[in-house]
Amino acid sequence: MPYTFDHEAATNSIIVVKAHRSAWTPEPVAVRVTRQTFLERGPFTGTEPILAQAFHVADLDYGWHRGVRRGLDGSVQ
């Protein structure tokens, strides 16, 4: 996905960050995750995580654009 999002509670808005990349040719890979401690606490306690996808990516020009704050109505703030 070229975008990532986060809710900013202080302003009740959404922060939208867009990635930029060139020559994106991801290759799916098999991985084995035996433990993910982040998912053992907080609201994830007791859940069973499922890995959706994993890719090997090499020689990629990749970065993030500056985030944009948007109101819940979609307006730029």
Side-chain angles (χ1 to χ4, degrees):
M1 291 182 66
Y3 291 91
T4 189
F5 308 90
D6 192 22
H7 179 256
E8 185 177 65
T11 61
N12 196 30
S13 58
I14 303 296
I15 305 299
V16 181
V17 181
K18 184 178 180 183
H20 63 84
R21 57 187 179 228
S22 63
W24 175 254
T25 53
E27 298 176 27
V29 295
V31 297
R32 187 171 149 229
V33 179
T34 58
R35 187 169 181 199
Q36 176 46 276
T37 59
F38 174 78
L39 298 174
E40 293 176 359
R41 59 182 185 271
F44 303 110
T45 302
T47 63
E48 186 172 340
I50 299 171
L51 179 64
Q53 53 189 303
F55 297 98
H56 175 261
V57 179
D59 300 322
L60 178 67
D61 176 25
Y62 183 83
W64 296 97
H65 295 282
R66 184 180 178 105
V68 175
R69 180 183 292 124
R70 292 194 171 267
L72 298 182
D73 63 357
S75 63
V76 176
Q77 298 182 338

